[in-house]
Amino acid sequence: MIIFQYLGFEKNSKLYIFISAILCGIAFMIKGFPAFGFFALTYLIICIYRKKVDILITPSFLISSLLAIIIPISWIISTDDPFVCLNTLFMQSLSRVSESKDAAKFVFHLIKYPLLNVKQTLPTSIVLIYLLIKKKISLDEKSRLIMLIFIINYTPYLLSAGSNGRYIIPIFPLLSVVSAGIIIKSDHIIQRSLYLLIIVSIIGRSLYGLYGLPAIEKRKGAPRDTAIKIVDIIDKEATIAFDCKRYKSICACIDIYTGKVLISPDTNKSWDYVISCSGRIYDNTRPAGSFFLNGDRIYLLRKDSAD
């Protein structure tokens, strides 16, 4: 979305601007209300930087903005309860911000989050810091704008104490573009060293994925094995609710194995089974299975047919 916003202005292309609006509508269905905020912030900073604020009132921009809104609205009104859907999306976005009210947690997040991002982008981040500080390599005009767009979209996550590192992965491509512009100005030794580090990093991460993660899963009790046991018990056509936030991987595995999206037991009460580890008591249900995972009990409850 952001890349097409940038290209739409750089190339003066109405098509790219419309594509960015369509992607914004899709992004809303993935990220919720923040997608609109980033859509608006990106256009605003580009217009200010290029000194073309009047573009914000042009027909093409207004039509594209309307299109960005129509797409998620069409999806929301097709849900079982549009008001519950909107409220859930809004509260999820608000909960990330509300955690910043804790001053100690907020200050800790301001320190921890940038360090986490440096870790996420290793080994490139260390090389870039070295080039910017020691070699004083500067950004060209286009890279400065892209970096500014990145910073504007990054700032809400920095100021939100509830943000996780994975939340900013969608804007890493912007950082990659700027990084490439810096690295290409460096000498061949640094470039070759970086390529070697990247190759080593890819091999290391691949080995971790092949052997490290399975070992960790096995030590935790293998959520995938638990999911398979649950799938073997439930009726194939049954509707399944999930109330076990600590083990979302079970939910994901069951989704994959059954081809069904698991629902919240409160949002939609038409479920036949509920998977729970919260200790919550559900009326008109009976035990259908019990599983041990990483020191916790996972319960599979079946709704009585008479209900």
Side-chain angles (χ1 to χ4, degrees):
M1 177 190 79
I2 294 172
I3 289 172
F4 272 103
Q5 286 180 278
Y6 170 80
L7 293 175
F9 271 79
E10 291 297 304
K11 297 180 179 295
N12 192 26
S13 169
K14 293 183 176 63
L15 174 62
Y16 284 175
I17 291 177
F18 288 142
I19 291 175
S20 74
I22 293 172
L23 292 173
C24 177
I26 296 172
F28 180 93
M29 293 187 280
I30 299 172
K31 303 225 17 118
F33 282 102
F36 288 153
F38 299 130
F39 183 74
L41 282 173
T42 300
Y43 270 135
L44 183 62
I45 198 62
I46 293 175
C47 288
I48 293 174
Y49 188 86
R50 295 297 189 198
K51 299 179 181 179
K52 296 180 179 179
V53 182
D54 57 316
I55 292 178
L56 296 176
I57 58 174
T58 59
S60 61
F61 177 79
L62 295 175
I63 292 172
S64 70
S65 299
L66 182 63
L67 181 62
I69 296 173
I70 289 175
I71 292 174
I73 286 179
S74 301
W75 166 65
I76 289 171
I77 62 177
S78 69
T79 60
D80 293 336
D81 193 329
F83 292 105
V84 171
C85 181
L86 275 173
N87 182 66
T88 301
L89 288 169
F90 179 76
M91 294 308 296
Q92 284 181 345
S93 300
L94 188 63
S95 65
R96 302 288 184 267
V97 180
S98 62
E99 293 187 39
S100 296
K101 294 179 180 179
D102 185 328
K105 190 172 184 179
F106 177 66
V107 172
F108 180 71
H109 177 75
L110 288 178
I111 298 171
K112 177 187 174 184
Y113 202 61
L115 295 175
L116 172 62
N117 305 145
V118 170
K119 176 186 174 184
Q120 286 178 288
T121 50
L122 288 172
T124 309
S125 54
I126 296 299
V127 176
L128 290 175
I129 292 172
Y130 170 78
L131 291 174
L132 291 172
I133 296 177
K134 293 294 185 180
K135 299 295 184 178
K136 300 187 184 302
I137 295 179
S138 60
L139 301 178
D140 58 35
E141 193 269 340
K142 287 187 177 181
S143 293
R144 284 197 296 271
L145 174 55
I146 295 174
M147 191 64 194
L148 184 58
I149 295 171
F150 173 85
I151 292 172
I152 289 297
N153 284 275
Y154 171 81
T155 301
Y157 294 112
L158 178 64
L159 298 179
S160 175
S163 297
N164 291 323
R166 67 180 183 273
Y167 293 174
I168 66 164
I169 290 177
I171 59 175
F172 276 173
L174 298 176
L175 200 57
S176 298
V177 172
V178 177
S179 301
I182 296 173
I183 292 167
I184 203 171
K185 294 178 181 179
S186 64
D187 55 53
H188 291 297
I189 295 178
I190 291 178
Q191 290 181 20
R192 290 172 183 173
S193 299
L194 178 61
Y195 299 152
L196 179 60
L197 286 171
I198 290 174
I199 292 172
V200 171
S201 177
I202 291 173
I203 294 173
R205 289 174 183 268
S206 299
L207 291 174
Y208 176 70
L210 288 170
Y211 302 105
L213 284 178
I216 293 173
E217 286 281 286
K218 186 176 181 180
R219 187 177 64 188
K220 287 183 176 181
R224 181 174 60 180
D225 294 342
T226 302
I228 293 174
K229 292 177 182 177
I230 293 174
V231 171
D232 289 339
I233 294 175
I234 61 177
D235 301 329
K236 291 185 178 180
E237 301 301 322
T239 300
I240 311 163
F242 194 78
D243 178 26
C244 188
K245 294 182 179 179
R246 293 196 299 276
Y247 298 108
K248 292 181 180 179
S249 53
I250 295 177
C251 178
C253 290
I254 293 175
D255 187 344
I256 293 171
Y257 293 142
T258 63
K260 291 178 175 291
V261 177
L262 276 64
I263 62 175
S264 165
D266 297 313
T267 302
N268 187 331
K269 299 183 182 298
S270 63
W271 46 268
D272 303 299
Y273 292 88
V274 59
I275 301 166
S276 177
C277 64
S278 65
R280 177 177 172 182
I281 297 175
Y282 290 89
D283 296 330
N284 302 315
T285 60
R286 55 187 174 84
S290 176
F291 313 92
F292 187 75
L293 180 61
N294 198 27
D296 294 323
R297 280 285 181 181
I298 312 295
Y299 295 96
L300 176 65
L301 305 174
R302 180 171 183 171
K303 184 181 290 186
D304 289 335
S305 57
D307 183 37

